Amino acid sequence: MTLAPETTDLKVQLRLADDEWFTVCDLNRLLPGRGVAALLPDGRQVALFRDRRGQVYAVDNRDPFTGAAVLSRGLTGTHGDRPFVASPLLKQRFDLLSGQCLDDETVRVTAYEVRAA
Amino acid sequence: MSDTPTIVLVGHGMVGQRFLEALAERGLTATHRVVVLCEEPRPAYDRVHLTSYFSGTSADELSMTDMEFIEKHGIELYVGDPAETVDRDARKVTARSGLVVDYDVLVLATGSFPFVPPVPGKDAEGCFVYRTIEDLLAIEEYAKTAKTGAVVGGGLLGLEAAGALKGLGVEAHIVEFAPRLMPVQVDDGGGAALLRTIEDMGLSVHTGVGTQEIVTDAAGAVTGMKLSDGSELATDMVIFSAGVRPRDQLARDCGLQVGERGGISVDEQCRTVTDPHVFAIGECALAADGRVYGLVAPGYEQAETAAATIAADEASFTGADLSTKLKLLGVDVASFGDAHGTAEDCLDVVYSDSRAGLYKKLVIARDGTLLGGILVGDAEAYGTLRAFTGSVPPVSPEQLVLPAGAGAPTQLGPSALPDEAIICSCHNVSKGTIRGAVTDHQCTTVPEVKKCTKAGTGCGSCIKVLGQLVTAELEAGGVEVDKGLCGCFSQTREELYEIVLALRITSYQDLLDRHGRENARGGDGCEVCKPAVASIIASLAPTIGAEGYVLDGEQAALQDTNDHFLANLQKNGSYSVVPRIPGGEIAPEKLIVIGEIARDFGLYTKITGGQRIDMFGARVEQLPVIWARLVDAGFESGHAYGKSLRTVKSCVGSTWCRYGVQDSVRMAIDLELRYRGLRSPHKLKSAVSGCARECAEAQSKDFGVIATSNGWNLYVGGNGGATPRHADLLAQDLSDAELIRLIDRFLMFYIRTADRLERTSTWLDRIPGGLDHVRDVVVHDSLGICDELEGLMAAHVSHYRDEWAETINDPEKLARFVSFINAPDTPDPVVGFVPERDQMKPDLPLLSIGLRPTGEDVLEGSAQR
Ligand code: SRM
Ligand SMILES: Cc1cc2nc3c(=O)[nH]c(=O)nc-3n(C[C@H](O)[C@H](O)[C@H](O)COP(=O)(O)OP(=O)(O)OC[C@H]3O[C@@H](n4cnc5c(N)ncnc54)[C@H](O)[C@@H]3O)c2cc1C
Ligand code: SF4
Ligand code: FES
């Protein structure tokens, strides 16, 4: 029997409360540069991303400009040295670490702490 | 403490906050103790965008107060503690909590309160006003049990309130005493255009009637209202929005002079006329020109003036431009200058199309000077027109309001403006100042100019003109304007195409790391270059040896969301499905399959403008099941989602039509099958007409074909859409084979040299030499590249595979079509539908209200050139 390489066991986890980590999926389900949506126990939706270095990010999935839950389907990129996702609907960009909208300083989405463990 | 002078600010609203920022900018927070008394339970927030709460902006997100700023400048902010009395002799303010503060300077920024007409029942349960976040929360709570709501007042704020009701899912009525909506900003014609659009949104408007009484039930809750025409309107709640009045009670009580109709009288320095130690700014002030301003921009100017005066700098506020551009319930409404034509002897130029909800009026003086105007439905020209106000525009006024396509439309470049023209009225920035930012302060981008001059940082309506000015100024100064694709690549799309082709680069990361800008290498790129490079790689796939399937490996991460899901994203997060119907020809059996699928999945079905059928409202997890059935019935992807060939439209042609001279249907099908799946800089459209009567509208297509008795005429560079262009004749009387060879070359030359998102029409107008050059290259082979162009196309044609067939047969590819990675079977609860005309439509929260970033300003930043 061959053992699967260790990394395939890594899980993506979100911090929901101080010491509550919510397991979403296997890390290898995340394609670098692309997002997926996940459902939280309380009905909220989260957009998860992985960049080419393997870093994972999580922000609220709801696009505040349109109300649709689609941020997970946007294109990602780097602005300066900060990672961002551009909404697929009207293209506003959001910083993946802070959730801050880069095109409208009055808008921000929730950013979650996330880890691969 | 006694040796630091104290400034007390009463009222922490939008203008109050701006005043604090102006104090800090002038260094006054360092030399003064600053105390703020804030009545509301939260510090200053964005009242202008209050209604955006109903489209998802939270109360916290509306905040305008950065607590770090307050702390850093040592400002003492007392939230929820209003000023109750002022003793001007002792220079003391007493707050409700009992706090007493001595002041050297007192600044009143108490704003205004909503005026509630004295009708019986006005205080009943279910009656509201709309000014604060607290009002909004109360309305939201009450609306949970309400079905119908009525707004008293059809002005700017009334429409905002109606938008709020609509956003809460309450059936909304607007009752306006004047004969039209927004009586202050627009005239009758504008009101009519606005009325039509607003009624189309499902809001009921009652103009020319007053509210006489609020009717209540036994428990004292609202059940309706009696109107002045004798009718009664049943409603569960009422929002009064009949204007605002300055909050000047505190000032009255301490003996400051107020105007006859309210407002604290101030001079040009915003100092009260009664007491040199007291200032008044914002909506509570009666300015030196005898007006009370109800907009933020003049309030900001007053805040700056008061701060400058306190710092002993020169400044004055002598009056402000009331020009405004708003987006109300999604409708553009703008008015500027002397909008109502009050000047003597002035003339109106009006364009009105009430079917399209358009109304544009310019007020012109006898000598041709532009005095003002009103724009409803399309305020695109607002920035330029406002800047021309007060001067004679260099072209006739008709040309400025006629829609593109009618007569000779003219777009006035900002270069025609005089230096004194005000470009940004929010911050009073002239064209000269903006030019100065580029020439004297070395700003080279719009964001830099915004920082330097503040232009464009208010309502945002001037950004488009700002961008044009900055580019023009840079080019005039001989500065090399960065023509790079985006912040990641300094090359143009054309140059990247050549690199990819010559070096056979099949990976985006490879291209970025080797050829990207220094600081972008090793990064994740951006949303501009990823799809552009993906398109180049896909166009060249067979030739450079890349995977032909656009979702393979790294390519999947580069595609725009539509390509990623092989379907078109709709506003609520659902998708549309468009199977290919070559030439518009379809057998009844296939038509039935489409009908059955649409019925089984409950999809909204529509015949498109491209001679095929679009099914809307599919959830992401339904796409593969829908396509499995379509593929089974012999359908292929229609690429409605891709920047690639869309349709080749066709007329019925010589087979049936008595005039037809060639078989246009057969040719259209041949062309559509040849070029299907070809990725290009923008979408490609085509059509074939069977004779010169042109029923297929081929001359509005990227490449259009019209039959002649000797063969085919080929037209190129046509475009419908926003900027229509008639196609140019490239060659005449071609045989079938000649026609196809020429189109092969033409398309490949376009793909090679066009910019991203550049249709053939704009490309043809842009490239040096224009049509003649293109004809030289593709007809006369002046560059000797025609063999290569034909070879590239041949490779594309022979490698074409249907993307959807490939997708549904590969479980790994199907894995991406799930709603949630951790709950693949749970449909996205945000995607909902409501019935309409026997089908369904998206059930949406209120979407676009308030001042939303438009296309131009959304995209600026590092990623743009
Ligand atoms: C469905 C359809 C309207 C309809 O119900 O008839 C449509 C729908 C869309 N059009 Fe169109 N256009 C449709 C025919 C047209 C036509 C008429 C035609 O092709 O004969 C035009 C004018 C002709 C032209 O393009 O030159 C047209 C000019 C546009 C434009 C403006 C292009 C321009 O160069 O100015 C856009 C915006 C863009 O592409 O940037 C656009 C974009 C769109 C998009 C893709 C907008 C978007 O990104 O969501 C719409 C999505 C379709 C969807 O979700 O399925 N659509 N659009 C038509 C689909 C035809 C088809 O079968 O594929
Ligand atoms: C729904 C809505 C939409 C609008 N849209 C637009 C728009 O699109 N464009 C535009 O230009 N303008 C718009 N306005 C108007 C704009 O909001 C006002 O012009 C602006 O808020 C005025 O700022 P201000 O600071 O003078 O008053 P406010 O923002 O009203 O602030 C005054 C503050 O002072 C407080 N206060 C009053 N008395 C006391 C006291 N005794 N002690 C302590 N505090 C006190 C009040 O509670 C309030 O918080 C809109 C307004 C509303 C309600
Ligand atoms: S273009 Fe000519 S051939 Fe085609 S339908 Fe019209 S009249 Fe008939
Ligand atoms: S005009 Fe409002 S930001 Fe310039």
Side-chain angles (χ1 to χ4, degrees):
Chain A
M1 192 177 95
T2 36
L3 282 174
E6 252 177 37
T7 48
T8 57
D9 292 339
L10 286 181
K11 303 275 187 216
V12 179
Q13 296 184 318
L14 278 187
R15 186 183 216 133
L16 296 185
D18 269 355
D19 44 22
E20 190 196 340
W21 288 91
F22 175 72
T23 301
V24 181
C25 62
D26 288 346
L27 177 62
N28 62 16
R29 296 285 308 273
L30 297 187
L31 186 67
R34 206 79 239 188
V36 298
L39 196 58
L40 295 187
D42 65 358
R44 271 177 302 162
Q45 299 187 24
V46 174
L48 293 161
F49 303 89
R50 179 179 181 184
D51 68 13
R52 62 187 280 196
R53 272 163 251 88
Q55 186 71 37
V56 278
Y57 308 95
V59 296
D60 196 90
N61 195 27
R62 189 168 185 272
D63 172 8
F65 291 97
T66 59
V70 295
L71 288 188
S72 59
R73 304 181 205 163
L75 278 170
T76 59
T78 325
H79 173 81
D81 50 5
R82 311 271 294 181
F84 71 86
V85 61
S87 167
L89 278 170
L90 301 176
K91 314 290 177 198
Q92 291 91 350
R93 296 165 304 160
F94 298 87
D95 186 304
L96 287 178
L97 288 165
S98 66
Q100 177 62 44
C101 176
L102 300 176
D103 301 295
D104 183 341
E105 59 187 37
T106 65
V107 178
R108 176 190 284 269
V109 295
T110 309
Y112 292 84
E113 220 180 299
V114 62
R115 70 179 182 196
Chain B
M1 179 189 281
S2 54
D3 46 0
T4 356
T6 305
I7 301 172
V8 175
L9 170 68
V10 177
H12 192 215
M14 298 183 73
V15 173
Q17 171 62 20
R18 178 52 166 266
F19 172 72
L20 294 177
E21 287 164 18
L23 285 183
E25 276 164 26
R26 291 175 183 278
L28 289 169
T29 43
T31 52
H32 290 64
R33 174 183 178 218
V34 179
V35 179
V36 185
L37 298 176
C38 168
E39 176 189 53
E40 292 189 56
R42 61 188 83 234
Y45 54 87
D46 187 353
R47 209 176 297 291
V48 169
H49 289 108
L50 204 55
T51 313
S52 69
Y53 176 81
F54 297 105
S55 53
T57 310
S58 69
D60 284 347
E61 284 163 348
L62 285 171
S63 174
M64 298 178 74
T65 315
D66 178 358
M67 287 321 274
E68 246 173 58
F69 165 86
I70 299 286
E71 271 157 38
K72 185 170 138 212
H73 292 281
I75 296 169
E76 298 168 42
L77 172 62
Y78 297 93
V79 174
D81 198 7
E84 286 205 319
T85 53
V86 175
D87 180 345
R88 288 198 293 114
D89 294 334
R91 283 201 236 142
K92 275 183 201 312
V93 184
T94 310
R96 179 178 299 160
S97 64
L99 173 79
V100 180
V101 196
D102 294 321
Y103 67 79
D104 295 278
V105 176
L106 175 67
V107 178
L108 301 174
T110 47
S112 39
F113 65 88
F115 169 68
V116 177
V119 294
K122 68 179 169 53
D123 298 318
E125 193 188 324
C127 286
F128 298 91
V129 293
Y130 188 53
R131 174 128 195 126
T132 65
I133 290 187
E134 273 42 58
D135 293 335
L136 176 157
L137 297 175
I139 291 170
E140 180 179 46
E141 185 57 34
Y142 201 80
K144 285 185 185 149
T145 55
K147 275 220 261 319
T148 325
V151 175
V152 177
L156 153 68
L157 297 182
L159 293 184
E160 287 279 344
L165 285 179
K166 186 169 177 247
L168 287 165
V170 173
E171 184 193 320
H173 293 264
I174 303 171
V175 179
E176 166 59 51
F177 191 68
R180 60 168 186 268
L181 292 171
M182 293 191 67
V184 182
Q185 287 83 0
V186 308
D187 59 6
D188 284 337
L194 195 59
L195 174 67
R196 187 174 170 98
T197 319
I198 286 182
E199 284 185 333
D200 282 350
M201 292 174 193
L203 278 77
S204 309
V205 180
H206 314 261
T207 47
V209 285
T211 307
Q212 239 147 29
E213 187 184 332
I214 307 298
V215 188
T216 55
D217 61 13
V222 175
T223 57
M225 49 204 266
K226 282 199 181 124
L227 304 179
S228 59
D229 61 359
S231 64
E232 194 170 321
L233 180 69
T235 183
D236 305 323
M237 57 193 295
V238 175
I239 303 181
F240 288 103
S241 195
V244 294
R245 297 285 182 273
R247 284 190 71 175
D248 53 15
Q249 196 57 45
L250 190 66
R252 287 172 196 263
D253 291 346
C254 67
L256 290 171
Q257 182 187 316
V258 296
E260 225 166 81
R261 296 170 58 211
I264 308 164
S265 305
V266 298
D267 62 15
E268 291 185 356
Q269 278 64 48
C270 298
R271 214 188 275 271
T272 57
V273 295
T274 322
D275 185 339
H277 295 281
V278 186
F279 290 74
I281 53 176
E283 285 194 343
C284 65
L286 175 64
D289 65 347
R291 289 158 92 161
V292 174
Y293 288 90
L295 294 169
V296 282
Y300 284 174
E301 232 183 284
Q302 294 170 353
E304 302 276 357
T305 305
T309 305
I310 295 168
D313 286 339
E314 286 220 358
S316 61
F317 177 88
T318 52
D321 183 13
L322 284 179
S323 300
T324 36
K325 178 176 163 202
L326 307 159
K327 210 177 192 78
L328 290 166
L329 293 155
V331 190
D332 279 337
V333 181
S335 72
F336 56 95
D338 181 7
H340 290 283
T342 54
E344 210 168 295
D345 242 12
C346 60
L347 306 165
D348 288 353
V349 174
V350 178
Y351 170 79
S352 150
D353 174 355
S354 49
R355 267 204 323 173
L358 285 181
Y359 176 82
K360 303 178 185 183
K361 179 180 91 170
L362 299 184
V363 180
I364 313 280
R366 287 264 167 209
D367 67 354
T369 306
L370 176 63
L371 298 175
I374 294 170
L375 307 169
V376 175
D378 170 15
E380 176 76 21
Y382 170 73
T384 328
L385 288 175
R386 188 189 55 193
F388 270 116
T389 306
S391 65
V392 182
V395 300
S396 80
E398 297 76 33
Q399 285 175 292
L400 296 170
V401 288
L402 281 177
T410 304
Q411 260 147 17
L412 265 189
S415 47
L417 292 170
D419 264 358
E420 318 74 75
I422 297 299
I423 302 296
C424 175
S425 62
C426 285
H427 295 283
N428 209 9
V429 185
S430 67
K431 174 179 167 185
T433 310
I434 291 166
R435 290 183 43 193
V438 176
T439 48
D440 305 342
H441 299 270
Q442 275 84 43
C443 298
T444 54
T445 61
V446 171
E448 280 170 30
V449 173
K450 280 168 77 173
K451 243 198 199 111
C452 176
T453 63
K454 275 202 165 164
T457 58
C459 68
S461 65
C462 59
I463 297 227
K464 186 169 178 185
V465 177
L466 190 63
Q468 291 168 336
L469 267 180
V470 172
T471 311
E473 203 51 43
L474 284 172
E475 279 175 349
V479 176
E480 198 160 324
V481 181
D482 189 339
K483 294 235 163 52
L485 183 66
C486 61
C488 311
F489 287 100
S490 60
Q491 299 87 345
T492 61
R493 180 190 171 282
E494 180 179 356
E495 288 161 348
L496 289 176
Y497 178 100
E498 296 299 340
I499 294 174
V500 169
L501 177 61
L503 304 179
R504 302 268 189 277
I505 294 179
T506 58
S507 143
Y508 167 83
Q509 278 181 14
D510 196 16
L511 188 69
L512 180 67
D513 293 351
R514 280 162 60 189
H515 302 278
R517 294 182 199 260
E518 209 61 62
N519 55 359
R521 294 185 186 179
D524 281 275
C526 77
E527 80 283 12
V528 172
C529 57
K530 289 210 292 201
V533 171
S535 162
I536 294 175
I537 292 177
S539 305
L540 292 172
T543 307
I544 59 177
E547 254 316 316
Y549 178 75
V550 294
L551 299 184
D552 254 326
E554 185 208 33
Q555 286 195 50
L558 308 178
Q559 309 293 345
D560 252 324
T561 185
N562 282 357
D563 294 81
H564 189 65
F565 289 100
L566 307 173
N568 291 44
L569 181 61
Q570 306 297 314
K571 59 205 296 184
N572 65 344
S574 67
Y575 285 88
S576 77
V577 172
V578 190
R580 188 168 293 291
I581 301 180
E585 182 181 270
I586 184 163
E589 272 313 316
K590 281 189 151 180
L591 210 46
I592 290 170
V593 171
I594 291 190
E596 284 173 348
I597 293 176
R599 182 197 56 206
D600 294 352
F601 289 89
L603 304 176
Y604 168 77
T605 311
K606 181 178 180 302
I607 309 287
T608 71
Q611 296 189 337
R612 44 194 192 167
I613 300 170
D614 201 343
M615 292 171 273
F616 295 81
R619 296 172 198 275
V620 65
E621 68 275 14
Q622 291 177 321
L623 290 172
V625 215
I626 292 172
W627 271 103
R629 284 179 58 179
L630 285 169
V631 169
D632 193 45
F635 285 104
E636 292 187 349
S637 167
H639 293 101
Y641 46 81
K643 299 288 174 252
S644 53
L645 181 79
R646 291 285 160 87
T647 64
V648 182
K649 293 210 306 196
S650 170
C651 75
V652 65
S654 61
T655 320
W656 295 86
C657 178
R658 59 187 161 146
Y659 295 118
V661 292
Q662 304 283 349
D663 187 352
S664 52
V665 177
R666 200 215 75 229
M667 181 52 81
I669 295 174
D670 284 354
L671 293 178
E672 184 153 348
L673 297 183
R674 183 169 182 81
Y675 303 119
R676 65 188 159 178
L678 177 66
R679 291 296 198 282
S680 50
H682 206 317
K683 59 191 171 193
L684 289 168
K685 295 181 176 184
S686 176
V688 184
S689 281
C691 83
R693 285 168 192 73
E694 245 282 71
C695 298
E697 302 169 314
Q699 289 169 95
S700 68
K701 300 300 173 198
D702 296 280
F703 57 105
V705 179
I706 300 177
T708 69
S709 45
N710 302 318
W712 309 98
N713 284 355
L714 173 59
Y715 292 81
V716 294
N719 205 160
T723 318
R725 181 183 191 278
H726 255 86
D728 292 313
L729 181 64
L730 186 69
Q732 271 174 293
D733 293 330
L734 304 164
S735 69
D736 287 10
E738 285 168 339
L739 174 71
I740 286 173
R741 190 162 67 226
L742 262 193
I743 300 176
D744 282 1
R745 295 173 178 180
F746 171 79
L747 290 179
M748 274 301 167
F749 186 51
Y750 159 69
I751 291 174
R752 178 173 208 146
T753 54
D755 202 352
R756 70 179 266 276
L757 300 185
E758 187 175 46
R759 290 286 290 268
T760 55
S761 58
T762 18
W763 168 74
L764 207 53
D765 287 338
R766 175 186 60 85
I767 55 164
L771 178 71
D772 289 337
H773 173 63
V774 172
R775 188 181 285 118
D776 279 347
V777 174
V778 304
V779 181
H780 309 303
D781 200 7
S782 62
L783 297 180
I785 57 170
C786 283
D787 279 349
E788 188 186 345
L789 296 177
E790 283 173 37
L792 287 168
M793 189 62 86
H796 164 75
V797 173
S798 62
H799 283 82
Y800 168 81
R801 284 170 297 174
D802 175 32
E803 282 163 9
W804 263 112
E806 222 163 307
T807 306
I808 54 174
N809 290 321
D810 182 342
E812 212 178 288
K813 283 163 190 153
L814 286 178
R816 81 182 81 236
F817 292 91
V818 293
S819 49
F820 300 107
I821 189 114
N822 60 342
D825 298 324
T826 310
D828 175 0
V830 177
V831 176
F833 300 97
V834 290
E836 182 175 71
R837 292 190 298 276
D838 298 335
Q839 300 200 60
M840 54 123 181
K841 66 171 183 183
D843 183 11
L844 288 170
L846 189 70
L847 285 183
S848 47
I849 204 150
L851 303 157
R852 274 287 137 72
T854 58
E856 297 86 50
D857 35 356
V858 173
L859 288 172
E860 79 184 52
S862 73
Q864 284 287 300
R865 39 170 138 143

